[in-house]
Amino acid sequence: MSKNLVIVESPAKAKTIKKYLGKDFEVLASYGHVRDLLPKEGAVDPANDFEMKYQLIDKNQKHVDAISKAIKKADALYLATDPDREGEAISWHLCEYLKGRKLLKDKTVHRVVFHEITKRAIQDAMEHPRELSQELVNAQQARRALDYLVGFNLSPLLWKKIRRGLSAGRVQSPALRMIVERELEIEKFVPREYWTIEADLNKDKADFNGKLTLFAGEKISQFSIDNGDRAHEVQTALTQAAAGSLSVVKVDKKQRKRNPAPPFITSTLQQEASRKLGFTTQRTMRTAQQLYEGIDTGNGAVGLITYMRTDSVNLAQEAVQEIRDYIAGKYGAENVPSSPNVYKTKSKNAQEAHEAIRPTSVTVEPASIAKHLTKEQFKLYELIWMRTVACQMIHATINTVAVDMAAGNPEHLFRANGSTIVHPGFIAVYQEGVDDAKANDDDNKMLPPMVEGDVIKLKGIRGEQHFTEPPPRYSEASLVKALEEHGIGRPSTYASIISTLQAREYVTLDKKRFRPTDVGRIVNKFLTEYFAKYVDYEFTAKLEDELDAVSRGEEEWVPLLAQFWTPFRELIDTTEKNVSRQDVTHEALDEACPKCGKQLSIRLGRRGRFVGCDGFPECDYTRSLEEEGGESSEPEVVEGRSCPKCEAPLIIRTGRYGKFIGCSAFPKCKHIEPLEQPKDTGVKCPECNKGMMLARKSRYGKQFFSCSCYPECSYAVWNLPINEPCPDCGWPILTLKTTKRKGTEKVCPQKECGYSEQVDDVAGEEEEASG
């Protein structure tokens, strides 16, 4: 019989920890949260100090039963769930349940916390237990209650005023507002023409170019030359003045230092994995969880990185020393700074006891364990390893040079920029990526040696036409960065915010950029007009700060909820009485109906927004938003293709279920095909073991995944397949299932199995109930 029972969140972590503790310890997994609010109205009672009514989560009943059985035989209970707010709440809920069944009588209960799953860290945590932190539990309960109150009150209002099945969330809705506002900026953007004048030059057989910075004594700004005629005039004048050469009038040399980026926190890891690896935030967190919980590298499972949900850039002293020693041995002592690089944590609530995301041992080089890792595990581990090593290396030293050259006289100047790396320092290992970088490599160009008075051969002067561009749509990386900058959400919520917006079809990903759907626009319009305060970035960030204050014991959670709830409930009641559905879903146009003369408006229909007559149902005039004044636009021809049946041109049509490719000879020829070709998930079909699982859409637009060998193989699943065998039944794949209540889970598609496992521990962190 084990004297001690240890509870962790996942079976993978339990397996890793078990080998460090010995025969006197039994290690069981809770499989995430064990209790949640009752999924019905009244689960949070504002009239009774926001009393919260919980129930066991059905899918975890068998795991809780196993824990209940084991605790009867144990002397002590060690709660070793994750070292954050959610982990604290899981431990508290389990304790409350066991107390309710009188199973903790005469049992010693300890809370143990560790930030890496290594033998040293586990044993140290077991030797220094603490009590459960009620402040962290209160903060988690307050967050869960807020999400519930918003979801169960605002979502039904959306059903009445827009359409059934919609939902709103305390953090999700400001994120949607960001995406919609960016789209509106893009739509309102008017491109502006401008020209640059460049000189193609040669010295000592080296070609380079310079850009016009001064013309006729006037400094050239972006819009100094804004049309082709003016550009031609300037080009001609400069060509005549230069007479085949430019003369160097000034050489400005500088040396600058570039410092390494700090070690990863959750948000920066998600951003870099998106930029460099093309990972979604969910994929990043799922893979990081695997690296944290333990990988068998030949001598049993071992945790390879520290805890991946953190907003602290601190590194443990012993880790810093190990990194410095490693750098000295691998890259030379000259690449180690005289004192360790120290980074300042931006987050107000970052706990200094927490660490940044780093390898548990920097001596475990990615290449040395590559054969034990999946491709995505290797890529993410390598990224974390490189960033960690680089953060403790010496700065990069870069020489820059700017050369001013006159065309005939000093009133006409061209400038050439270039740089050379004198000492690469950390750049030898890693450089941080950037979002939406402009294609401008001037600073990285090599220039031939030049001094004042040199005459440079002029090969030609040319004008380049440009147009200003609208702001880019958000990618996953830039959206996470924007959320973090506004103080919206916390490390554990970014992935779920993004997945929730997609799951509810408020946004779509187009070329890895977010576009709001018509429904997303209408929901955002409703919330910004009638609930402006609750989608305000500053208000949302302030509420996050107050929840953090609760976790530090500086604020009480019940008064915080009361302060939020009273005006929110009043606004719900007022909006329900005074706002009609037409106020929300109709947008008046300054245009008369060509059929009956009444006003036209933009409306929301089953398949998105369209233009319709206010005289409906007496007048049935409608048209798509793309059509102008009732005149249907010409169908778009599919270039380079003809109908495989009759060889007529193929065109893009719009039907009941959206756009598709059809034959222009319809109705004589009825050939059709989907506009988007099925996407390969990279997962082999487990049924026939021949085809690949492809992402397709049903006739109703819902995504599903099926075998590429259809109709020979009819295997299909609704949820995203992943290359992981089921630990219970051995079925070759699992699927990722995202629901409103439970967040994202790994589930076995075999109905008779029933295996499921929480992927992220956000079941309550960013989970808005839908009523």
Side-chain angles (χ1 to χ4, degrees), residues 19-253:
K19 72 173 188 174
Y20 296 135
L21 295 179
K23 62 181 181 180
D24 288 338
F25 291 85
E26 182 177 0
V27 186
L28 295 179
S30 71
Y31 288 78
H33 280 271
V34 296
R35 295 197 309 179
D36 197 10
L37 290 171
L38 291 170
K40 61 182 182 180
E41 196 169 349
V44 177
D45 185 3
N48 194 20
D49 281 343
F50 297 92
E51 180 186 358
M52 301 171 74
K53 300 176 180 68
Y54 293 104
Q55 69 175 19
L56 276 180
I57 297 172
D58 290 341
K59 70 183 182 69
N60 281 348
Q61 178 73 60
K62 61 182 179 180
H63 307 305
V64 175
D65 289 345
I67 292 169
S68 300
K69 185 177 178 180
I71 193 63
K72 293 176 182 178
K73 302 174 183 177
D75 297 327
L77 175 64
Y78 287 84
L79 300 163
T81 48
D82 285 345
D84 57 15
R85 207 178 286 175
E86 291 297 311
E88 204 76 18
I90 291 170
S91 288
W92 178 79
H93 279 293
L94 184 59
C95 265
E96 290 296 297
Y97 175 78
L98 295 175
K99 283 178 185 176
R101 296 189 61 189
K102 297 181 170 54
L103 293 175
L104 292 185
K105 192 176 181 182
D106 302 324
K107 309 285 184 184
T108 306
V109 179
H110 304 288
R111 172 73 167 118
V112 293
V113 173
F114 42 82
H115 303 279
E116 59 184 73
I117 303 178
T118 59
K119 186 174 183 179
R120 178 190 56 78
I122 300 300
Q123 291 179 345
D124 184 63
M126 298 299 285
E127 290 170 7
H128 300 90
R130 62 167 172 80
E131 293 183 354
L132 277 167
S133 168
Q134 195 58 46
E135 288 83 5
L136 286 175
V137 172
N138 289 344
Q140 193 276 341
Q141 285 201 103
R143 180 184 293 277
R144 185 69 189 93
L146 283 170
D147 290 342
Y148 171 91
L149 291 170
V150 170
F152 261 84
N153 288 277
L154 195 47
S155 297
L157 193 59
L158 291 176
W159 300 356
K160 294 176 184 177
K161 306 304 179 184
I162 303 177
R163 69 161 61 149
R164 290 193 65 82
L166 301 179
S167 63
R170 182 182 57 83
V171 180
Q172 158 215 329
S173 297
L176 174 62
R177 178 187 166 191
M178 279 186 185
I179 294 170
V180 174
E181 286 182 343
R182 178 59 57 88
E183 193 68 22
L184 293 175
E185 282 182 64
I186 293 169
E187 290 172 355
K188 292 176 182 177
F189 182 81
V190 178
R192 188 173 173 187
E193 182 182 7
Y194 68 98
W195 288 69
T196 57
I197 307 296
E198 296 191 20
D200 294 322
L201 306 161
N202 179 277
K203 182 178 187 294
D204 300 333
K205 298 182 180 180
D207 290 333
F208 63 104
N209 59 60
K211 188 175 288 185
L212 183 67
T213 57
L214 194 72
F215 179 73
E218 292 187 10
K219 188 177 179 180
I220 297 295
S221 63
Q222 183 178 11
F223 299 107
S224 294
I225 305 170
D226 59 3
N227 61 76
D229 290 342
R230 177 57 177 161
H232 182 69
E233 288 175 13
V234 173
Q235 182 182 344
T236 302
L238 289 169
T239 302
Q240 292 174 352
S245 65
L246 302 183
S247 57
V248 176
V249 295
K250 184 180 179 183
V251 178
D252 188 12
K253 293 181 179 179

Side-chain angles (χ1 to χ4, degrees), residues 10 84-85 113 150 198 277 284 288 312 332 373 418 438 476 484 540 578 598 616 684:
S10 76
D84 57 15
R85 207 178 286 175
V113 173
V150 170
E198 296 191 20
L277 308 180
T284 299
S312 170
L373 305 178
K438 298 293 182 185
E476 286 209 17
E484 184 184 33
T540 307
N578 300 328
K598 292 186 178 180
F616 179 83
K684 204 164 191 178

Side-chain angles (χ1 to χ4, degrees), residues 30 39 114 210 487 520 535 569 596 604 614 642 645 661 722 747:
S30 71
F114 42 82
V535 290
R569 180 67 249 184
C596 73
L604 179 66
D614 285 354
S642 58
K645 289 184 178 179
I661 294 174
I722 56 175
V747 298

